[in-house]
Amino acid sequence: METETSASLRQALLTDREHTMTRIYQRAFPLVRRYVQQHGGSAQDAQDIFQDAMVIFYEKAVADTFVLSSSVSTLLVGISRNRWRQELDRRARLPLTDLTNQPEPPAETPADEPASVPVLDYLARLGEKCQSLLLDFYYFQQPLDQIAAAHDYGSVRSATVQKFKCLERLRKSVRAAVATLAH
Amino acid sequence: MRPALDRLQYLEHHLLGRPTPAEAAQWQVQLLTDPNLAADAQTQVQLYQALREAGRQQLRHELRQIHAHLERTTRRRTWLQTATDHLSHLLGRR
């Protein structure tokens, strides 16, 4: 894994996420746990921080522009150290607040994004198939040919049409809710 | 595709894709002439943000499962290691 290139890592994450994430987790988490525990944190803190780091890492690693300039473990330890330092600063300001009481977005999320929670409820109501198709494409960045094969669509074209149908359903629910709120 | 789906694809191309300079210029003109385009684009941006948030939740769920699985495996290995160490110790004494 240490000689992995950006392209092979991206490919592995896209085609076999569970196995690839497990391999990375197994290798990097003990390093992060040791660091966090040596710097005043608990095993639960280490788990929360590391999982934040994995989310940030995944989003970066599947992007076309990602360049892996160190080993994956080194990268994850670096992200985790930053997150833990931020968490310690936050706790120093709010000493009685627990990490687990905090909202989830990773630290590198732009702070000015509007809240999207109501839309999430409508997404959950779309049904398993539509939800999974939309997440595989828009979040997990899987290519449409892979999605077509995994979801038993006959072709990329048919997967594309289905994707837009699901998006349209989501959009209609949201617009209807917005219209109801406006009246 | 139906015209409504074509419109979503068109919006997506401008919001997530790589429109050419000519397409970008055309988009700017259309924003002035199509009264619904800006609002439609705004709604679509909202959907993409929600999908990203839902994706993060899904990924966190998968990570918690990986953690639990690895913890179970480690615990089993530790137990097995202890048992075999004990057995080796007993055999070594003979």
Side-chain angles (χ1 to χ4, degrees):
Chain A
M1 173 157 345
E2 300 303 326
T3 55
E4 211 152 25
T5 65
S6 313
S8 67
L9 175 65
R10 182 170 190 269
Q11 186 64 17
L13 285 169
L14 293 178
T15 53
D16 191 358
R17 182 169 73 247
E18 186 186 344
H19 181 236
T20 309
M21 294 293 263
T22 303
R23 264 193 317 140
I24 294 171
Y25 204 110
Q26 198 164 19
R27 187 175 287 242
F29 178 63
L31 306 174
V32 171
R33 183 175 51 203
R34 193 178 316 134
Y35 176 83
V36 170
Q37 288 185 322
Q38 281 172 351
H39 290 80
S42 65
Q44 184 60 50
D45 291 331
Q47 188 182 329
D48 293 339
I49 289 292
F50 182 69
Q51 291 179 4
D52 271 1
M54 286 286 275
V55 172
I56 293 168
F57 161 77
Y58 183 88
E59 291 178 5
K60 284 185 186 302
V62 295
D64 283 336
T65 49
F66 177 69
V67 178
L68 186 63
S69 54
S70 62
S71 77
V72 173
S73 299
T74 305
L75 177 61
L76 277 163
V77 170
I79 298 172
S80 301
R81 285 167 75 136
N82 278 338
R83 288 282 296 125
W84 182 237
R85 271 199 293 269
Q86 287 168 357
E87 178 55 21
L88 286 177
D89 286 348
R90 193 190 64 78
R91 287 184 190 184
R93 289 194 302 273
L94 299 164
L96 296 176
T97 315
D98 186 56
L99 174 64
T100 52
N101 292 335
Q102 289 305 299
E104 289 205 330
E108 298 183 10
T109 306
D112 57 348
E113 283 179 16
S116 55
V117 176
V119 188
L120 278 180
D121 295 339
Y122 294 108
L123 180 63
R125 286 182 217 161
L126 281 184
E128 162 64 27
K129 199 162 184 180
C130 254
Q131 198 178 343
S132 157
L133 170 59
L134 291 177
L135 291 185
D136 283 349
F137 181 78
Y138 290 106
Y139 184 73
F140 292 108
Q141 303 277 312
Q142 288 180 1
L144 273 167
D145 55 348
Q146 188 182 323
I147 291 174
H151 293 262
D152 287 330
Y153 296 117
S155 63
V156 168
R157 171 81 186 153
S158 138
T160 305
V161 172
Q162 193 54 45
K163 170 174 82 76
F164 282 114
K165 281 183 179 171
C166 293
L167 198 64
E168 185 189 38
R169 281 180 54 201
L170 181 60
R171 183 189 178 88
K172 277 184 177 166
S173 319
V174 171
R175 294 211 102 163
V178 170
T180 310
L181 282 175
H183 288 108
Chain B
M1 282 197 293
R2 282 189 280 117
L5 301 186
D6 280 335
R7 175 135 171 132
L8 294 184
Q9 190 169 33
Y10 176 69
L11 288 165
E12 183 159 303
H13 178 61
H14 283 277
L15 296 170
L16 299 181
R18 293 191 182 105
T20 63
E23 286 170 337
Q26 175 63 27
W27 171 262
Q28 291 304 322
V29 172
Q30 226 179 327
L31 277 173
L32 299 173
T33 54
D34 180 343
N36 299 321
L37 188 63
D40 285 351
Q42 180 56 37
T43 305
Q44 198 131 324
V45 167
Q46 239 185 314
L47 301 186
Y48 295 144
Q49 285 169 348
L51 286 167
R52 186 165 63 173
E53 187 50 43
R56 284 178 176 166
Q57 287 180 9
Q58 166 75 26
L59 188 54
R60 281 174 198 283
H61 174 72
E62 291 176 14
L63 289 167
R64 282 194 293 274
Q65 284 186 323
I66 290 173
H67 186 93
H69 168 73
L70 290 175
E71 226 172 28
R72 276 196 306 275
T73 314
T74 309
R75 222 176 290 139
R76 205 176 308 134
R77 204 181 299 135
T78 310
W79 179 86
L80 248 169
Q81 187 66 47
T82 311
T84 48
D85 284 353
H86 185 62
L87 203 62
S88 310
H89 181 69
L90 284 177
L91 290 171
R93 274 169 43 180
R94 287 189 173 179

